[in-house]
Amino acid sequence: MTFKNENTWYKYVQEKREGEFNRSYDDAVDDVKAKLGKTFPNYIDGKFVEASSTFQVFSPSDARIRIGYFQKSSKKDVRQAISAAKKAFAKWSNIEWQGRIKILKAAADKVAEKKFFFAATISIENGKNRYEAMGDVDEAIDAIRFYCEEIEVNNGFEGKMGKAFSNESAKSVMKPYGVWGVIGPFNFPLAIPVSMSAGAMITGNTAVLKPSSDTPLTMYRFAEVLNDVKLPAGGFNFITGSGSEVGAEIVSNDDIAGIAFTGSRAVGYAIAKEFVSRRPRPVIAEMGGKNPVIVSSKADLRQAVEGTLKSAFGYGGQKCSACSKVLVFENIKKEFLSMLVNRTKSIEVGDPTKKETFLGPLINKDAYEKYRKFIEVAKRDGKVVAGGITLTAGEYSKGYFVEPTIVDELPENHRLMQEELFVPILCVQSVKNLEEAIAVANNTEYGLTAGIFTKDR
């Protein structure tokens, strides 16, 4: 077995089958919409069960589209899910790794069979365009298959050790922890929760997942997949609700052996502090970025413009890996910025299910209001050279649509240059040379991604 990335859109383009891709996606949109508006239960101990009350979720593209009613779970509901996962751990962890990966591979195959349905669900639920949504699905499939291959290559992470003496025998055996609490984000509603959950389950742990309350449907569909492939009851538990109830119970419960979290720095810090307060337990937390791109005087400016734009404004900058500041050598800044502004003005903003759309809506009202607040700060302290407008007329009136924005002339230590914004605002700063660019790039509390455009290695 050799792992290969799914790369769905790329393969369709290589095979000149773009029309087929778009037809399959459009058909899936119709299929997904026909199944919206229902009441979607939790998935606990191998059963689909309801709590005592529900909350509603609407599409960020159009508030008239009700995604569905989801369970407003109580702490008692969460404890039932954790209890089921704890009970299942003994059986699941004692299944040979070959048996575990057989089940997870079957899940990956089933998601692959339904990839257009999953992609359309993501577009409608969180506002990603069709190409980014398909990438989200591909990443989920890839994660499962890659983890399965790693287990195989490493013989279940069990191996003989060396000898200090001829008459001794020693081996290294990696053991699962127990029940993992998984808290997922809205921006990759399939890829990240699946990768965190699958990583836990493949290695013999069980999982209790809380998805983002903005995007619960996507992972509900994955719970259906795990049910279909007959994952043992309690191995995976899906439970919706607020952070103050569901999230708080997961973090404070002594039966949770580990936490996997993706989200904001503030929440990640709070989780880590609470979770280890009684005893040492692992916390895997990915908490954002403030990612620079350097454009040198030896760059291909067309490539630099296109790469910077797609990194900054792909999914509206609502990604921890998004470029949020570009550091341009001062002798090419004027030309680069002019090209970037013109290209940014050509971005198609609108319904993410339409094939021509690049930028869909922001995820919710809070993000929309945050964008408006940051724009006022940018106008006050810098110069907005592109965008800076909320879109409210016509087709935009029912969603959270904004223009991608470029801001120039901000001081290096300004909050917009330092804070993770998570909206489509890109800050530009000129630098004299590579040494200064690297110093400015490293002037941040975050360390996640960075890029450079140059033809001189």
Side-chain angles (χ1 to χ4, degrees):
M1 175 182 179
T2 302
F3 169 76
K4 293 181 180 179
N5 292 102
E6 200 72 358
N7 277 338
T8 300
W9 170 243
Y10 175 78
K11 290 175 181 175
Y12 273 83
V13 171
Q14 293 298 107
E15 297 166 6
K16 303 187 185 307
R17 297 164 57 208
E18 297 96 325
E20 182 184 338
F21 176 97
N22 288 318
R23 285 190 296 274
S24 296
Y25 175 89
D26 291 337
D27 289 344
V29 168
D30 293 338
D31 190 14
V32 169
K33 286 184 174 179
K35 295 178 171 66
L36 296 178
K38 301 175 182 179
T39 297
F40 296 97
N42 290 327
Y43 182 66
I44 298 174
D45 202 18
K47 303 179 184 68
F48 291 98
V49 296
E50 296 185 3
S52 58
S53 61
T54 61
F55 65 96
Q56 298 182 67
V57 176
F58 296 89
S59 172
S61 303
D62 188 338
R64 296 168 297 184
I65 300 175
R66 181 186 286 110
I67 301 297
Y69 298 87
F70 294 85
Q71 306 308 304
K72 192 174 182 180
S73 305
S74 67
K75 291 185 178 181
K76 180 181 177 182
D77 297 320
V78 183
R79 287 193 287 270
Q80 289 176 348
I82 295 171
S83 177
K86 184 179 180 181
K87 180 181 176 182
F89 173 70
K91 178 181 178 181
W92 178 244
S93 62
N94 279 303
I95 294 175
E96 291 292 327
W97 61 262
Q98 293 90 343
R100 293 198 302 269
I101 69 171
K102 181 179 180 181
I103 293 172
L104 271 298
K105 283 181 182 179
D109 291 345
K110 200 163 189 68
V111 174
E113 290 170 13
K114 303 176 67 175
K115 64 172 57 176
F116 284 96
F117 182 84
F118 273 99
T121 300
I122 291 169
S123 293
I124 295 167
E125 186 175 41
N126 92 337
K128 278 187 176 176
N129 68 42
R130 60 180 62 192
Y131 316 104
E132 291 177 316
M134 184 58 77
D136 199 319
V137 179
D138 284 351
E139 190 175 333
I141 298 165
D142 289 346
I144 298 173
R145 290 176 174 165
F146 176 73
Y147 294 164
C148 286
E149 183 171 281
E150 285 296 291
I151 292 284
E152 288 183 295
V153 169
N154 291 283
N155 190 41
F157 293 98
E158 179 175 329
K160 290 184 178 180
M161 298 178 69
K163 295 183 177 183
F165 302 96
S166 60
N167 62 344
E168 73 174 357
S169 177
K171 66 179 180 178
S172 169
V173 182
M174 296 188 76
K175 291 289 188 181
Y177 286 86
V179 181
W180 276 74
V182 180
I183 301 174
F186 73 84
N187 58 345
F188 287 83
L190 190 69
I192 291 178
V194 163
S195 65
M196 293 192 292
S197 302
M201 291 186 290
I202 287 170
T203 48
N205 303 277
T206 54
V208 175
L209 168 75
K210 178 203 174 305
S212 166
S213 293
D214 288 309
T215 56
L217 180 58
T218 302
M219 279 303 287
Y220 172 81
R221 295 303 187 196
F222 185 70
E224 290 182 320
V225 166
L226 292 178
N227 187 65
D228 289 345
V229 299
K230 296 182 170 45
L231 181 81
F236 175 83
N237 303 272
F238 165 89
I239 187 161
T240 58
S242 69
S244 60
E245 288 286 315
V246 178
E249 180 60 33
I250 288 173
V251 174
S252 63
N253 194 293
D254 282 336
D255 286 333
I256 295 290
I259 294 278
F261 165 80
T262 299
S264 73
R265 182 178 66 171
V267 175
Y269 276 16
I271 287 173
K273 184 177 180 180
E274 162 70 18
F275 196 63
V276 301
S277 63
R278 291 180 298 283
R279 71 180 193 276
R281 289 183 287 180
V283 176
I284 300 172
E286 195 284 301
M287 299 179 287
K290 187 66 179 175
N291 312 298
V293 161
I294 298 168
V295 180
S296 84
S297 56
K298 297 177 181 178
D300 180 321
L301 292 190
R302 293 184 186 278
Q303 287 184 349
V305 165
E306 200 64 20
T308 300
L309 176 138
K310 288 181 177 177
S311 177
F313 301 133
Y315 192 50
Q318 298 176 113
K319 299 185 288 185
C320 57
S321 58
C323 170
S324 58
K325 56 185 178 184
V326 57
L327 313 177
V328 192
F329 281 28
E330 59 186 13
N331 62 329
I332 59 160
K333 182 189 173 187
K334 184 177 179 180
E335 182 183 4
F336 171 81
L337 188 56
S338 175
M339 292 171 65
L340 182 64
V341 167
N342 288 335
R343 178 68 179 88
T344 298
K345 289 178 178 178
S346 73
I347 286 176
E348 189 76 30
V349 182
D351 181 349
T353 65
K354 293 182 178 180
K355 68 179 181 180
E356 62 271 16
T357 295
F358 177 78
L359 179 57
L362 296 179
I363 187 63
N364 55 29
K365 185 178 180 180
D366 286 347
Y368 186 75
E369 293 300 328
K370 185 167 69 170
Y371 172 89
R372 295 176 65 178
K373 179 184 74 174
F374 288 147
I375 292 300
E376 291 306 310
V377 173
K379 289 178 178 177
R380 183 191 69 205
D381 299 337
K383 182 179 179 181
V384 175
V385 295
I389 297 172
T390 53
L391 302 172
T392 57
E395 65 174 309
Y396 303 120
S397 63
K398 302 298 181 182
Y400 301 113
F401 295 95
V402 302
E403 286 188 346
T405 299
I406 301 172
V407 183
D408 194 12
E409 300 180 10
L410 288 170
E412 179 184 338
N413 291 316
H414 191 276
R415 62 177 299 196
L416 298 189
M417 294 287 288
Q418 296 295 325
E419 295 179 18
E420 183 182 46
L421 306 181
F422 238 62
V423 290
I425 297 176
L426 174 66
C427 300
V428 182
Q429 181 177 340
S430 63
V431 290
K432 291 183 177 65
N433 50 42
L434 183 60
E435 289 71 28
E436 183 184 358
I438 292 171
V440 174
N442 284 323
N443 180 22
T444 176
E445 294 180 343
Y446 291 96
L448 185 61
T449 72
I452 182 167
F453 285 94
T454 177
K455 291 189 284 186
D456 181 352
R457 288 185 177 273

